């Protein structure tokens, strides 16, 4: 099928294609999320994480959140050239088309693209235009909540009425959906074009800046850096009670480094965004009225969009409406999944049998069979058939008092009784400096779509951690696409190298700083594609600091 399902988001875009083995999310630099960021330089156009990185050092040539300008006559100037929002969006779609074609080895001619339900005709036309400019035919434009509903409703036969609460990076959208005899209908919808995770980042940016106590001007560059830091902090606060920000070389004042050290608690963050969350629930109640639906008639409220991972949202919904909110398994992917399922339905494919990308095996660690046994068994952490990427945590307890070390042996397979019949894929040892009487560790497993498993073991009392990354079985097609990607990366790599060389020529920079940067350059040059983005982030951070700001 030559169709791509595209969720063209304000902050990130996601693309899904249909294959005979099921659905496949296209991978961009090792991630299924493609930052909707475009950078234009003399070397050409770059899109995604690399463009997002460039925003720190070439913000004037970088377009962020272009979706907010769709349907307007506004233009952006990038590298001295004027672009319409449609043109900028078309660069993002072109990147999706090209990456999908390289990864899947076929040509994609058509797409189903999603837009917020409240997008007006101008905004929809602009989106269609952007798709055409990218060389794709628009098979259908569908509403994001409808797409989320399709993905939620897939493989569910029962008729039901539910709300789709979609809080993304830039927009909020709430819809009442009826699923009746396989037909999915939007009964009512409303939203706010300017409410989303970006606004939470801004509020958190202000709080961090206030707390920093710095008495310097907040330049545009620093603002971007602070914004990225705020986003990371916000995401961490969805799973941690507090975050300690510790950036040794955050900025400069009179040639001296300024150390940013700030603590932000979950309560503080929740208080910051409380009025926004209340507003989303007001809109939910409003749209229920519009569809003449009583809250009690709703089977569920389904949460989708990256920002709906913030735990206080479901708590607030329960508190104010008495309804349980269900976070869609993959809130970032559901819209794009719905888009491709819609494409498949148009093509007459039976979507009930389509599967989402899943892990074909279980992953876990070895544990003792019992308190008094020396025999080992296999304790699964990520179960076979879980959609990927996925993150799961399990807790394990020490066998002896004041246990000094925890051996974490990682296995892949299905046999829980017989450890040896599973495949060992790695091991690591967590040693504890100050052992406690009843030690326990949390083991986090994070599996990405390429079969890379990141493991973190953390003693829950002492917070000592050990980390490791292990390779599970990788399919041939994935390896193939990696080789291809390596070949096409060189132009952007060259820009980074040129930038490093320019900084190295600067005589005012200390020799030891230059040595560090040179080491990073070597690491970057010898890295494989998947490692490059994170090294690039370090490089940009370092250049950002070394350049006069
Ligand atoms: P979307 O437009 O649906 O891709 O959502 C993107 C937004 O979700 C961005 O503002 C992200 O910072 C935000 N986001 C992603 N993951 C989380 C998380 N775990 N907690 C809070 N916000 C998140």
């Amino acid at each position: 099928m030559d169709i791509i399902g595209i969720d063209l988001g304000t902050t990130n875009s996601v693309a899904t294609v249909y294959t005979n083995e099921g659905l496949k999310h296209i991978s961009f630099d090792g991630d299924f999320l493609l930052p909707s960021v475009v950078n234009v330089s003399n070397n050409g156009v770059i899109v995604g994480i690399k463009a997002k990185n460039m925003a720190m050092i070439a913000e004037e040539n970088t377009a962020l959140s272009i979706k907010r300008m769709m349907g307007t006559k506004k233009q952006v100037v990038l590298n001295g050239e004027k672009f319409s929002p449609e043109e900028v969006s078309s660069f993002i779609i072109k990147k999706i088309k090209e990456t999908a074609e390289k990864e899947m080895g076929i040509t994609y001619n058509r797409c189903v693209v999603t837009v917020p339900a409240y997008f007006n005709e101008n905004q929809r036309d602009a989106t269609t235009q952007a798709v055409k400019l990218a060389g794709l035919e628009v098979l259908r434009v569908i509403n994001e909540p409808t797409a989320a509903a399709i993905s939620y409703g897939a493989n569910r036969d029962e008729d039901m009425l539910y709300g789709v609460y979609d809080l993304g990076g830039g927009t909020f959208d709430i819809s009442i959906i009826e699923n009746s005899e396989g037909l999915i209908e939007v009964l009512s919808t409303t939203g706010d074009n300017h409410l989303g995770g970006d606004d939470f980042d801004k509020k958190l940016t202000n709080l961090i800046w206030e707390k920093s106590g710095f008495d310097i001007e907040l330049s545009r560059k620093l603002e971007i850096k602070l914004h990225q830091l705020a986003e990371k902090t916000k995401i961490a606060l969805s799973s941690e009670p507090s975050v300690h920000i510790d950036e040794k070389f955050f900025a400069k004042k009179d040639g001296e480094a300024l150390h940013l050290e700030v603590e932000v608690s979950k309560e503080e963050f929740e208080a910051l965004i409380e009025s926004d969350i209340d507003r989303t629930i007001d809109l939910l109640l409003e749209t229920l009225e519009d569809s003449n639906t009583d809250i009690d008639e709703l089977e569920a409220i389904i949460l989708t969009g990256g920002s709906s991972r913030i735990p206080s949202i479901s708590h607030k919904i329960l508190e104010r409406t008495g309804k349980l909110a269900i976070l869609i398994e993959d809130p970032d992917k559901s819209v794009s999944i719905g888009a491709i399922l819609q494409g498949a339905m148009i093509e007459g494919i039976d979507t009930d049998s389509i599967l989402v990308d899943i892990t074909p095996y279980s992953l876990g660690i070895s544990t003792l069979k019992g308190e008094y046994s020396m025999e080992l068994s296999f304790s699964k952490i990520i179960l076979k058939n879980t959609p990927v990427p996925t993150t799961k945590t399990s807790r394990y307890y020490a066998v002896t008092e004041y246990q000094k070390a925890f051996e974490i042996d990682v296995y892949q397979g299905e046999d829980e009784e017989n450890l040896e019949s599973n495949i060992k894929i790695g091991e690591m040892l967590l040693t504890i400096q100050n052992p406690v009487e009843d030690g326990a560790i949390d083991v986090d497993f994070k599996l990405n779509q390429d079969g890379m498993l990141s493991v973190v073991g953390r003693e829950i009392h002492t917070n000592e951690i050990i980390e490791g990354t292990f390779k599970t079985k990788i399919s041939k097609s994935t390896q193939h696409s990696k080789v291809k990607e390596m070949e096409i990366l060189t132009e952007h790599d060259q820009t980074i190298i040129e930038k490093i060389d320019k900084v190295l020529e600067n005589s005012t920079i200390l020799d030891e700083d230059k040595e560090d940067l040179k080491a990073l350059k070597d690491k970057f040059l010898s890295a494989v594609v998947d490692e490059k983005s994170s090294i690039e982030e370090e490089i940009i951070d370092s250049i950002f600091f070394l350049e006069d700001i």
Side-chain angles (χ1 to χ4, degrees):
M1 197 170 87
D2 67 340
I3 302 170
I4 316 181
I6 299 179
D7 167 10
L8 191 62
T10 311
T11 328
N12 295 303
S13 296
V14 182
T16 310
V17 295
Y18 171 84
T19 76
N20 289 337
E21 283 90 47
L23 299 187
K24 171 111 185 70
H25 302 291
I26 301 304
S27 167
F28 306 94
D29 303 306
D31 193 355
F32 71 92
L33 287 176
L34 173 71
S36 305
V37 183
V38 174
N39 171 275
V40 179
S41 70
N42 292 340
N43 283 336
V45 177
I46 49 171
V47 175
I49 186 69
K50 297 183 170 76
K52 191 173 171 182
N53 286 339
M54 293 303 276
M56 297 247 287
I57 52 174
E59 75 277 16
E60 67 285 0
N61 292 340
T62 310
L64 298 143
S65 303
I66 196 69
K67 185 170 173 179
R68 293 191 196 253
M69 282 166 67
M70 290 296 264
T72 69
K73 293 265 174 278
K74 286 184 193 158
Q75 293 203 307
V76 282
V77 179
L78 302 171
N79 202 33
E81 233 183 293
K82 276 189 186 161
F83 295 94
S84 66
E86 293 89 311
E87 282 173 308
V88 176
S89 297
S90 80
F91 294 142
I92 300 169
I93 301 165
K94 213 181 268 173
K95 165 88 179 178
I96 290 173
K97 174 174 156 59
E98 287 170 3
T99 313
E101 289 178 348
K102 282 197 185 86
E103 187 163 344
M104 306 309 296
I106 61 170
T107 305
Y108 289 97
N109 300 309
R110 300 175 292 164
C111 79
V112 173
V113 66
T114 61
V115 291
Y118 53 81
F119 249 27
N120 62 30
E121 274 318 302
N122 281 346
Q123 292 165 306
R124 283 166 200 264
D125 282 350
T127 307
T128 306
Q129 206 49 40
V131 171
K132 286 185 185 159
L133 284 173
L136 283 170
E137 184 193 319
V138 183
L139 190 60
R140 192 155 302 176
V141 178
I142 61 170
N143 292 328
E144 286 161 11
T146 312
I150 292 173
S151 97
Y152 181 76
N155 307 318
R156 275 185 183 79
D157 285 335
E158 73 259 52
D159 291 352
M160 58 186 228
L161 197 65
Y162 48 95
V164 175
Y165 175 110
D166 180 1
L167 188 59
T171 53
F172 170 66
D173 208 337
I174 175 83
S175 311
I176 306 303
I177 306 266
E178 188 173 27
N179 199 350
S180 169
E181 292 169 12
L183 207 74
I184 293 172
E185 197 188 344
V186 182
L187 298 185
S188 66
T189 187
T190 186
D192 186 334
N193 235 335
H194 293 276
L195 176 60
D198 293 348
D199 302 291
F200 307 156
D201 297 343
K202 269 185 210 124
K203 290 187 170 177
L204 196 52
T205 299
N206 292 341
L207 179 75
I208 296 171
W209 188 243
E210 259 170 42
K211 285 190 162 201
S212 78
F214 290 159
D215 167 27
I216 54 169
E217 198 192 326
L218 185 58
S219 65
R220 174 86 184 114
K221 275 184 177 177
L222 267 187
E223 209 177 303
I224 293 173
K225 189 171 182 186
L226 204 57
H227 186 273
Q228 294 190 351
L229 199 64
E231 188 184 7
K232 271 192 197 157
T233 306
K234 171 189 75 177
I235 291 175
L237 285 172
S238 285
S239 51
E240 307 279 336
S242 69
V243 170
H244 184 77
I245 301 169
D246 188 3
E247 293 272 317
K248 293 240 165 5
F249 304 100
F250 181 74
K252 264 187 202 164
K253 188 182 179 188
D254 305 329
E256 293 287 314
L258 290 178
H259 180 174
L260 176 72
E261 199 177 2
V262 166
E263 182 92 18
V264 184
S265 72
K266 195 178 210 145
E267 287 78 26
E268 279 175 297
F269 175 62
E270 285 176 0
L272 271 186
I273 62 164
E274 190 175 8
S275 59
D276 294 323
I277 305 305
D278 271 328
R279 176 160 160 66
T280 63
I281 300 172
D282 292 343
L283 288 167
L284 159 70
L285 298 172
E286 235 172 67
T287 196
L288 275 169
E289 253 183 58
D290 291 346
S291 60
N292 284 325
T293 311
D294 191 83
I295 185 92
D296 291 332
E297 291 176 58
L298 291 188
E299 202 90 21
I301 294 169
I302 296 150
L303 305 183
T304 181
S307 299
S308 63
R309 285 204 179 93
I310 297 171
S312 66
I313 292 178
S314 39
H315 299 159
K316 261 261 161 177
I317 292 179
L318 182 64
E319 192 183 297
R320 283 193 54 192
T321 70
K323 276 279 148 192
L324 216 53
I326 303 167
L327 185 63
I328 274 191
E329 181 96 42
D330 270 313
D332 304 301
K333 291 178 185 158
S334 60
V335 170
S336 154
I337 291 175
I340 193 64
L341 288 179
Q342 174 75 77
M345 285 177 217
I346 296 171
E347 291 295 278
I349 295 168
D350 175 13
T351 51
D352 278 354
S353 54
I354 298 179
L355 287 174
V356 182
D357 241 1
I358 48 166
T359 160
Y361 35 69
S362 302
L363 292 158
I365 64 171
S366 61
T367 51
L368 288 176
K369 275 201 172 146
E371 211 176 327
Y372 305 106
S373 164
M374 288 310 284
E375 264 187 84
L376 292 168
S377 62
F378 177 42
S379 161
K380 294 178 180 173
I381 297 180
I382 293 178
L383 297 182
K384 180 179 168 174
N385 290 343
T386 305
V388 286
T390 184
T391 305
K392 293 268 155 35
T393 304
S394 290
R395 181 161 293 183
Y396 298 93
Y397 296 91
V399 199
T400 56
E401 288 181 355
Y402 299 102
Q403 189 166 311
K404 288 201 183 84
F406 293 84
E407 227 176 273
I408 302 172
D409 291 355
V410 183
Y411 284 79
Q412 163 179 333
E414 306 311 321
D415 196 338
E416 289 175 271
E417 279 298 303
N418 220 336
L419 180 71
E420 293 316 318
S421 50
N422 301 295
I423 305 166
K424 184 168 179 179
I425 58 170
E427 58 181 331
M428 49 193 209
L429 188 71
L430 172 59
T431 46
I432 310 295
Q433 299 304 322
N434 301 303
V436 293
E437 190 173 358
D438 295 315
I441 58 169
D442 275 344
V443 178
D444 291 348
F445 267 33
K446 189 174 179 183
L447 180 66
N448 77 10
Q449 274 175 315
D450 290 335
M452 291 304 289
L453 177 72
S454 311
V455 180
V456 179
R458 185 176 63 87
E459 212 296 330
I460 62 167
H461 307 95
T462 66
N463 264 331
E464 282 160 283
I465 65 164
I466 180 107
E467 292 174 88
T469 303
F470 308 103
K471 221 178 233 166
T472 60
K473 234 171 70 191
I474 297 182
S475 73
K476 278 196 188 110
S477 66
T478 318
Q479 284 172 352
H480 180 64
S481 81
K482 274 190 183 140
V483 174
K484 282 192 167 172
E485 226 177 304
M486 223 180 268
E487 287 161 10
I488 59 159
L489 269 176
T490 49
E491 208 168 88
H492 173 75
D493 292 356
Q494 202 48 44
T495 316
I496 298 290
I497 298 302
E498 278 168 18
K499 194 83 202 170
I500 296 175
D501 290 342
K502 215 168 128 206
V503 173
L504 290 175
E505 279 168 21
N506 184 340
S507 57
T508 60
I509 292 175
L510 293 176
D511 282 349
E512 58 188 84
D513 287 338
K514 283 188 182 172
E515 285 309 314
D516 289 346
L517 189 58
K518 268 190 211 152
L520 276 177
K521 178 181 170 182
D522 291 343
K523 201 163 139 195
F524 182 72
L525 286 173
S526 57
V528 296
V529 175
D530 272 3
E531 294 166 351
K532 274 208 155 82
S533 299
S534 70
I535 304 171
E536 189 178 307
E537 238 176 85
E538 277 184 70
I539 291 173
I540 302 277
D541 243 5
S542 164
I543 291 179
F544 180 82
F545 180 72
L546 294 173
E547 274 188 337
D548 238 347
I549 52 172

